[in-house]
């Protein structure tokens, strides 16, 4: 078992941490006091060039874990997987304009782009700087330069992907813009953007090594490049971009209805795009062994304790540092203990978790789980689950529901024994007890909301936060991507069913054998929701499937518990209560470009069309 404190991290991660503390006040190549820093000096030696590479990772390999400052929350707050108290805690996800997004009031002045439109091009510029200048390094051997070029191609590709999934066709930038001149790069078609990203991934895969030593943990590999290619092609094959005639009505209001739609989708549906996506996902699977990557499956589907030895395999994937299922992680907050960014505390501050803060009595936003998402978890026997409207003893009832083991390794609930530091969680209202549960109260008042996700929250290892890294890619995703794409191309028999059931087997769930593509599609979409829960993919999946207009246009509800004294015993009676009426206008399928970018008049044709997405 590899744990963080046993790994010597590569030099650039130490540099990255230092850059994070200063990047808000000084650009990387800005002239500092008492010296002169230019492109020539930075790329003069390998030691100096490492600074440029470090900054490239800092700006490009972000996942969602950006800072520990207030206003940054989990990405899933924009989906049906998570509810943060609205409007009291809108500020806790202000970076993605949570309050306006979930109520259907988002504007082009403040959209849902996690890092902000400009941050992506900042990362792209840094990658292009490295690509353009790395050959200038005089004391590095050709193999090192070749490796760095592969890393830079990947970094450029992943930031174009981040833009593509939100906006559709975007300006393709392959040279480092100086930021001072007039921008004159129009939006490219979806086809051009996808083809460019795929080409960069293919080139990167040739240049990158299959594996890295532990000291280089966090650098991209050949498998990471193949994984990015696979994800991009899966999205490109999906209905949002590759719209079948039967689903055109789903995007009414999100398309122009003329030739400008080339920046939003392919002009016609092509089933072969699913075949291309299936082959790309299979390439990830086929190359995994050479990269030392495999599904984490030791035959332990259940978590029975709070140590590494007693947690189930699904929980282990999120908790065992550098485990074999991870293809690429963001290690920004995983440097050795002692650094204020690397001792794990940034995780705790970042996700504002109530359950994560209870032990130290610190304040935290509760990451409430709506019952609509809870009900995506099947019962242990594989049948669908519907929550009753009320009950007399929540912890007893939830255990009796006998749900998919992944539910119990993902969702904390009132009365659940969490760990030695927290004991049994107390989310209840006081009822006829003397006080409310300590997890029920906050400065917004007492809510009694009874379920909260604890994925990526400290529970094991004595409640330490010191073993997390945010997964950018892990192998389980590509088993499901392969199954999804191949089903759309040829139906569920053979590999689609096999790879779906390999994921279910690891979780301790029975195999599915579905004979038709429509029902298999529903099964694989549900499996992605459960398996990849709280890994930042849910909203993207709902949008690419063109299901967000249904799933996110409805009320979301939760559970409230109330303490009752029954013969001297504490019983937690519970009932379903409303959380929020979610609203998802059709125009949300494509995010709006920020107003200040539209005003520069470079995205459209320069005269009749500004380049803005429909409805904005």
């Amino acid at each position: 078992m590899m744990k963080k404190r046993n790994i010597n991290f590569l030099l650039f991660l130490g540099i990255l941490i230092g850059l994070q503390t200063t990047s808000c006040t000084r650009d990387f190549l800005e002239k500092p006091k008492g010296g002169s820093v230019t492109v020539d000096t930075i790329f003069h030696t390998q030691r100096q060039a490492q600074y440029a590479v470090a900054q490239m990772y800092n700006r490009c390999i972000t996942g969602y874990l950006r800072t520990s400052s207030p206003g940054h929350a989990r990405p899933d707050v924009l989906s049906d997987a998570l509810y943060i108290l609205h409007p009291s805690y809108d500020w806790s996800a202000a970076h993605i304009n949570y309050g306006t997004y979930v109520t259907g009031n988002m504007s082009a002045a403040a959209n849902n782009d996690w890092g902000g439109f400009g941050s992506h091009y900042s990362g792209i510029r840094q990658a292009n700087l490295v690509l353009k200048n790395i050959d200038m390094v005089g004391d590095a051997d050709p193999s090192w330069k070749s490796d760095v070029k592969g890393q830079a191609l990947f970094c450029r590709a992943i930031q174009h992907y981040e833009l593509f999934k939100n906006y559709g066709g975007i300006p393709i930038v392959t040279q480092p813009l100086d930021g001072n001149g007039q921008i004159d790069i129009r939006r490219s078609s979806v086809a051009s953007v996808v083809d460019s990203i795929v080409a960069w991934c293919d080139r990167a895969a040739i240049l990158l090594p299959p594996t890295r030593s532990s000291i280089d943990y966090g650098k991209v590999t050949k498998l990471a490049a193949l994984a990015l290619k696979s994800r991009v092609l899966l999205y490109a094959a999906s209905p949002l971009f590759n719209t079948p005639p039967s689903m055109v009505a789903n995007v009414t209001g999100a398309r122009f209805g003329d030739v400008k739609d080339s920046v939003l989708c392919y002009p016609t549906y092509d089933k072969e795009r699913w075949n291309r996506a299936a082959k790309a996902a299979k390439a990830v699977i086929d190359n995994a062994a050479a990269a030392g990557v495999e599904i984490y499956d030791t035959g332990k589907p259940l978590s029975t304790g709070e140590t590494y030895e007693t947690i189930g395999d699904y929980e282990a994937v999120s908790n065992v540092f550098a485990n074999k299922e991870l293809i690429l992680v963001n290690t920004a907050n995983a440097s050795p203990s002692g650094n204020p960014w690397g001792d794990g505390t940034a995780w705790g501050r970042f996700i504002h978790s109530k359950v994560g803060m209870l032990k130290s009595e610190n304040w935290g936003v509760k990451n409430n789980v709506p019952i609509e998402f809870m009900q995506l978890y099947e019962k242990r026997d594989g049948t669908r689950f519907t929550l009753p409207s009320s009950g007399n003893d929540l912890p007893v009832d939830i255990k009796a529901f006998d749900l998919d083991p992944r539910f119990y390794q993902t969702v904390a609930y009132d009365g659940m024994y969490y760990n030695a530091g927290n004991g049994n969680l107390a989310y209840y209202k006081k009822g006829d007890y003397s006080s409310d549960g300590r997890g029920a109260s906050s400065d917004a008042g007492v809510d009694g909301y009874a379920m909260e996700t604890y994925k990526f929250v400290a529970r094991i290892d004595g409640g330490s936060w010191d073993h997390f890294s945010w997964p950018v890619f892990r192998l389980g995703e590509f088993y499901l991507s392969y199954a999804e794409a191949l089903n759309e191309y040829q139906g569920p028999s053979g590999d689609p069913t096999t790879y779906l059931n390999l994921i279910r087997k690891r979780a301790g769930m029975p195999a599915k054998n579905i004979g038709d593509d429509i029902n298999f599609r529903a099964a694989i979409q549900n499996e992605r929701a459960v398996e990849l829960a709280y890994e930042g993919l849910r909203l993207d999946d709902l949008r690419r499937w063109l299901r967000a207009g249904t799933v996110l246009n409805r009320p979301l509800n939760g559970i409230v518990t109330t303490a009752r004294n029954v013969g001297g015993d504490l019983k937690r009676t519970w009932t379903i209560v409303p959380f929020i009426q979610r609203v998802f206008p059709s125009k949300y399928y494509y995010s709006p470009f920020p107003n200040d970018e539209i005003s520069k008049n470079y995205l459209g044709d320069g005269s009749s069309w500004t380049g803005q997405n429909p409805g904005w």
Side-chain angles (χ1 to χ4, degrees):
M1 182 182 298
M2 185 182 290
K3 292 182 64 180
K4 178 170 69 76
R5 57 177 175 265
N6 294 330
I7 295 178
N8 293 317
F9 287 90
L10 64 163
L11 173 63
F12 85 79
L13 280 179
I15 298 168
L16 186 152
I17 298 302
L19 286 171
Q20 283 182 318
T21 62
T22 61
S23 60
C24 292
T25 58
R26 191 174 70 207
D27 184 76
F28 174 64
L29 292 178
E30 182 182 340
K31 181 179 177 180
K33 294 180 179 179
S36 179
V37 178
T38 66
V39 168
D40 290 341
T41 57
I42 286 295
F43 291 98
H44 180 64
T45 67
Q46 182 173 336
R47 178 182 177 87
Q48 284 292 100
Q50 287 280 22
Y51 285 83
V53 176
Q55 186 71 310
M56 179 178 72
Y57 273 80
N58 187 27
R59 293 178 175 176
C60 294
I61 313 296
T62 56
Y64 82 89
L65 194 65
R66 299 193 181 277
T67 75
S68 63
S69 59
H72 284 68
R74 293 172 178 263
D76 300 285
V77 297
L78 299 186
S79 76
D80 61 331
L82 198 61
Y83 169 66
I84 287 178
L85 195 62
H86 168 77
S88 300
Y89 292 148
D90 287 359
W91 64 265
S92 67
H95 63 307
I96 45 176
N97 297 290
Y98 165 75
T100 57
Y101 188 92
V102 299
T103 56
N105 295 306
M106 181 176 67
S107 72
N111 71 12
N112 63 305
D113 190 341
W114 199 261
F117 183 80
S119 73
H120 302 296
Y121 283 104
S122 174
I124 290 167
R125 179 178 186 273
Q126 189 68 23
N128 285 332
L129 277 170
V130 172
L131 275 169
K132 181 178 180 179
N133 296 292
I134 201 65
D135 282 330
M136 294 169 52
V137 179
D139 63 347
D141 61 57
S143 63
W144 181 85
K145 294 178 184 179
S146 178
D147 186 357
V148 170
K149 288 176 185 177
Q151 296 170 57
L153 283 165
F154 176 91
C155 287
R156 182 169 76 189
I158 198 169
Q159 282 304 308
H160 278 82
Y161 150 75
E162 291 286 347
L163 287 158
F164 157 70
K165 72 174 186 177
N166 275 316
Y167 302 99
I170 42 89
I172 299 171
V173 178
T174 59
Q175 294 295 324
L177 304 178
D178 62 17
N180 296 319
Q182 176 65 34
I183 299 173
D184 190 24
I185 305 176
R186 304 286 185 250
R187 294 182 67 178
S188 292
S189 67
V190 161
S192 295
V193 173
V194 170
D195 288 348
S196 295
I197 296 172
V198 168
W200 300 333
C201 289
D202 285 341
R203 288 169 56 194
I206 293 171
L207 296 171
L208 292 167
T211 62
R212 300 281 188 188
S213 65
S214 61
I215 199 171
D216 281 338
Y217 188 66
K219 280 187 176 180
V220 296
T221 61
K222 173 182 178 179
L223 195 62
L226 295 176
L228 177 56
K229 174 182 176 179
S230 171
R231 189 184 286 178
V232 169
L233 288 175
L234 182 75
Y235 283 28
S238 298
L240 178 60
F241 302 109
N242 185 36
T243 313
S246 62
M247 299 187 75
V248 170
N250 295 47
V251 287
T252 300
R255 298 274 170 80
F256 296 108
D258 57 30
V259 295
K260 295 192 295 294
D261 280 342
S262 67
V263 301
L264 300 173
C265 61
Y266 291 98
T268 57
Y269 172 78
D270 187 350
K271 191 176 182 179
E272 280 299 319
R273 294 190 182 101
W274 285 112
N275 189 28
R276 193 180 181 199
K279 290 178 178 178
K282 189 60 161 55
V284 176
I285 295 168
D286 290 345
N287 283 273
V293 173
E294 61 183 88
I295 292 294
Y296 193 107
D297 186 359
T298 68
K300 293 191 300 182
L302 304 180
S303 285
T304 58
E306 56 194 89
T307 64
Y308 286 105
E309 293 74 20
T310 57
I311 58 173
D313 290 337
Y314 179 75
E315 188 173 3
V317 172
S318 301
N319 283 272
V320 176
F321 186 80
N323 70 78
K324 59 189 177 183
E325 186 162 330
L326 302 177
I327 296 173
L328 178 66
V329 300
N330 173 11
T331 54
N333 288 338
S335 65
S337 296
N339 185 292
W341 275 86
D343 61 3
T345 57
W347 274 92
R349 293 193 301 266
F350 180 84
I351 60 175
H352 301 305
S353 168
K354 190 77 169 180
V355 66
M357 297 298 175
L358 286 174
K359 179 180 177 182
S360 59
E361 302 294 341
N362 288 330
W363 181 92
V365 172
K366 195 185 296 181
N367 291 298
N368 300 292
V369 178
I371 64 168
E372 288 75 17
F373 195 77
M374 174 195 190
Q375 291 173 142
L376 297 180
Y377 291 88
E378 299 169 352
K379 295 179 70 67
R380 183 75 183 275
D381 62 7
T383 59
R384 296 308 301 264
F385 165 71
T386 300
L387 184 73
S389 60
S390 62
N392 295 320
D393 197 346
L394 185 71
V396 172
D397 293 342
I398 286 189
K399 288 180 181 178
F401 294 149
D402 195 21
L403 300 179
D404 183 326
R406 288 173 291 190
F407 172 83
Y408 301 102
Q409 295 170 52
T410 303
V411 179
Y413 54 89
D414 189 22
M416 166 187 172
Y417 176 82
Y418 191 70
N419 61 16
N422 293 69
N424 291 83
L425 300 178
Y427 289 147
Y428 54 78
K429 292 183 176 180
K430 63 182 179 181
D432 57 12
Y433 264 62
S434 59
S435 62
D436 298 297
R438 63 183 182 140
S441 301
S442 67
D443 56 353
V446 179
D447 56 50
Y449 294 156
M451 293 193 302
E452 179 181 17
T453 182
Y454 72 94
K455 195 169 182 177
F456 302 112
V457 177
R459 186 181 83 85
I460 69 167
D461 195 27
S464 170
W465 292 88
D466 202 23
H467 48 86
F468 292 118
S469 289
W470 179 250
V472 180
F473 302 119
R474 66 177 176 91
L475 187 57
E477 173 188 344
F478 300 95
Y479 276 34
L480 297 177
S481 296
Y482 179 50
E484 177 184 350
L486 200 57
N487 173 64
E488 296 295 337
Y489 184 66
Q490 68 173 37
S493 63
D495 276 1
T497 296
T498 296
Y499 280 91
L500 168 65
N501 287 332
L502 284 170
I503 293 297
R504 291 176 64 82
K505 172 184 172 292
R506 187 262 295 279
M509 291 296 288
K512 285 184 178 290
N513 292 286
I514 300 170
D516 67 279
D517 61 326
I518 294 175
N519 285 314
F520 190 91
R521 178 188 303 146
I524 201 72
Q525 289 182 359
N526 199 82
E527 198 69 24
R528 280 184 71 96
V530 169
E531 173 68 21
L532 303 175
Y534 306 106
E535 296 183 26
L537 299 177
R538 177 63 174 166
L539 180 64
D540 295 335
D541 278 347
L542 289 174
R543 292 197 301 181
R544 70 179 177 88
W545 292 328
L546 292 183
R547 293 190 59 215
T550 300
V551 174
L552 300 181
N553 258 329
R554 61 175 177 171
L556 294 182
N557 300 279
I559 296 174
V560 162
T561 48
T562 304
R564 297 296 181 197
N565 187 335
V566 180
D569 294 328
L570 170 62
K571 300 294 183 182
R572 294 163 164 87
T573 60
W574 58 273
T575 188
I576 295 175
V577 297
F579 273 165
I580 191 173
Q581 172 64 53
R582 283 297 310 266
V583 181
F584 187 93
S586 291
K587 64 182 181 179
Y588 272 23
Y589 277 116
Y590 301 96
S591 299
F593 288 88
N595 285 334
D596 58 351
E597 297 301 321
I598 293 296
S599 67
K600 297 172 185 175
N601 201 30
Y602 67 92
L603 291 168
D605 60 15
S607 57
S608 64
W609 176 49
T610 65
Q612 183 59 283
N613 280 328
W616 301 102

